[in-house]
Amino acid sequence: IRGVFILTTECASLTVTLVVTLRKFLSLIFSIMYFQNPFTAWHWVGTAVVFLGTLLYTEVWSSVQAALRGPATKDKKAE
């Protein structure tokens, strides 16, 4: 828990929440594998939500869109 407190002093609260959610997700995956429980469709839905939220927060989509637009939009902004 000390790591979470240190993280809260260094990062924004949304980042801390994201890190804690990812940690819980990894714990869930480890638990499913260790105790050999079935990985149901609801687990897949939760997995998709976790990773979609992570991608949205890290602004991957805007970076991909900017890369697809290419340098032409950058040149127009400079003028």
Side-chain angles (χ1 to χ4, degrees):
I1 189 112
R2 186 175 68 172
V4 174
F5 289 133
I6 293 171
L7 190 61
T8 57
T9 62
E10 301 292 326
C11 301
S13 61
L14 185 59
T15 303
V16 174
T17 303
L18 179 69
V19 168
V20 170
T21 301
L22 287 173
R23 186 186 70 181
K24 288 179 183 182
F25 172 73
L26 291 175
S27 296
L28 176 70
I29 296 298
F30 175 75
S31 174
I32 288 172
M33 291 172 50
Y34 184 77
F35 294 111
Q36 298 175 350
N37 291 324
F39 198 78
T40 65
W42 287 109
H43 290 109
W44 283 112
V45 170
T47 301
V49 169
V50 167
F51 285 108
L52 181 65
T54 302
L55 289 174
L56 288 174
Y57 177 68
T58 57
E59 299 176 3
V60 169
W61 299 118
S62 60
S63 299
V64 168
Q65 288 176 351
L68 291 175
R69 285 187 210 129
T73 56
K74 291 178 184 176
D75 292 339
K76 289 180 183 176
K77 289 182 182 178
E79 294 175 358

